[in-house]
Amino acid sequence: MSRYAELEAFAAELRKSIIIMNCHAGSGHPGGSLSCVEIISWLFAKEMNFCVENKDDPCRDRFILSKGHSCLSLYAALAEKGFFSKEEFKTLRHAGGMLQGHPDRMKTPGVEFNSGSLGQGFSFALGCALGAKRAGRSCRTYALLGDGELNEGQIWEGCMFGAHYNLDNFVAIVDYNKLQSDDLNTRITAIEPMNDKFRAFGWHVIEIDGHDFREIENAFNRARAMAGKPTVIIAHTVKGKGVSYMENVPKWHGSLCPTGEDRKCALRECGCEELI
């Protein structure tokens, strides 16, 4: 048995939950939710000191989904950790429901920040890290960004801030699936050389395969060992990972929901024979 068998099972449950929610709502952002599943799984199942019992503890670790449109992955992880019942999946994007189309901390237990306007979650997360440092707390802050989100100038202002305050208790993860909204990054606004840009801003940079738990574990261990500067993990991923016909196809970024044979295929490939 793989030493990562439990994590692989956790990730499989997240993928299944993402497709179930997407089908119940009839809309959502499946592509970018599927691409970050292994990163989210590692954070919630292994990395973070964050659970139902300590969700209000000022010394808890914090996770900010800066790419808020990929909230299906966050909701799936929170449900898996017991923050709410999976029955809530049926109310995704419904008026008055607990699970909205973008994270809402006033509605959803376990959500730290109302994200969706790209760049803002990153800035908030940096503020959390600085606040923890000044309070003398040992907790850590994690922010997950989309690669297209790096087009926002606010990201690079935040990078200057993080390096200036030596926020070694902060880790940013870029879900580098090479696609944004409706096309390749390279056809919209090129973001390479990404690693050189972050290094120029004074960050510790690690590049990994974002679907490989061995590489993910090593990256987060290296981030913990880094003193004096914040870390960014550039995680190379596949948009739509786990559903064959969604992989690397821009139209599955958002708004769509699989129907007919596509729905049956997505459910089957994620381990669910029918919509629960």
Side-chain angles (χ1 to χ4, degrees):
M1 179 181 292
S2 164
R3 61 177 291 223
Y4 300 110
E6 289 186 11
L7 278 162
E8 289 163 357
F10 191 96
E13 282 299 313
L14 263 55
R15 283 201 166 86
K16 181 165 70 173
S17 294
I18 287 166
I19 294 302
I20 288 171
M21 279 186 274
N22 186 215
C23 290
H24 276 303
S27 62
H29 292 80
S33 297
L34 291 165
S35 64
C36 63
V37 160
E38 280 76 19
I39 295 295
I40 296 276
S41 295
W42 179 267
L43 286 167
F44 279 85
K46 289 290 185 182
E47 178 75 13
M48 293 194 301
N49 175 30
F50 179 61
C51 58
V52 173
E53 291 73 24
N54 77 347
K55 64 183 176 63
D56 298 317
D57 186 339
C59 293
R60 72 188 182 279
D61 288 341
R62 289 168 172 81
F63 171 74
I64 312 300
L65 182 67
S66 195
K67 54 172 226 159
H69 56 277
S70 295
C71 58
L72 301 186
S73 56
L74 174 57
Y75 296 159
L78 290 172
E80 207 63 34
K81 296 295 289 184
F83 281 84
F84 49 81
S85 168
K86 291 183 180 181
E87 281 295 306
E88 296 295 337
F89 291 170
K90 297 175 182 177
T91 69
L92 177 72
R93 291 190 158 209
H94 289 199
M98 178 188 289
L99 307 178
Q100 290 300 302
H102 288 75
D104 186 337
R105 65 182 298 273
M106 302 303 291
K107 293 180 180 293
T108 311
V111 169
E112 299 278 6
F113 181 74
N114 293 27
S115 56
S117 183
L118 297 177
Q120 293 186 4
F122 181 59
S123 294
F124 175 81
L126 286 161
C128 290
L130 179 61
K133 238 184 196 308
R134 289 188 168 176
R137 297 174 183 144
S138 61
C139 53
R140 297 174 66 76
T141 303
Y142 303 86
L144 181 61
L145 289 70
D147 47 6
E149 186 173 4
L150 302 186
N151 294 160
E152 298 285 351
Q154 185 170 351
I155 295 296
W156 304 102
E157 293 175 24
C159 285
M160 287 190 286
F161 178 94
H164 177 78
Y165 288 104
N166 308 116
L167 297 181
D168 50 12
N169 60 341
F170 181 82
V171 181
I173 309 99
V174 178
D175 181 10
Y176 194 13
N177 59 41
K178 321 300 186 298
L179 294 164
Q180 58 175 292
S181 191
D182 56 3
D183 209 342
L184 293 164
N185 295 327
T186 53
R187 292 178 181 167
I188 298 174
T189 302
I191 53 180
E192 288 289 358
M194 190 191 302
N195 51 8
D196 290 342
K197 288 173 182 173
F198 278 108
R199 287 193 183 98
F201 277 84
W203 285 56
H204 175 220
V205 180
I206 304 170
E207 280 197 74
I208 63 168
D209 176 343
H211 300 302
D212 185 325
F213 281 120
R214 181 186 59 82
E215 293 192 25
I216 292 169
E217 177 181 27
N218 181 55
F220 281 99
N221 287 342
R222 288 169 63 191
R224 280 186 178 273
M226 173 53 59
K229 61 172 64 176
T231 293
V232 58
I233 298 172
I234 300 172
H236 292 268
T237 61
V238 175
K239 198 152 193 170
K241 178 71 172 178
V243 179
S244 56
Y245 62 83
M246 290 188 186
E247 292 187 359
N248 292 318
V249 178
K251 74 175 184 177
W252 292 105
H253 169 81
S255 300
L256 290 177
C257 169
T259 58
E261 289 303 314
D262 279 350
R263 173 176 292 192
K264 291 178 182 178
C265 177
L267 290 168
R268 184 172 60 252
E269 290 186 358
C270 290
C272 185
E273 288 303 319
E274 59 185 21
L275 191 58
I276 300 171

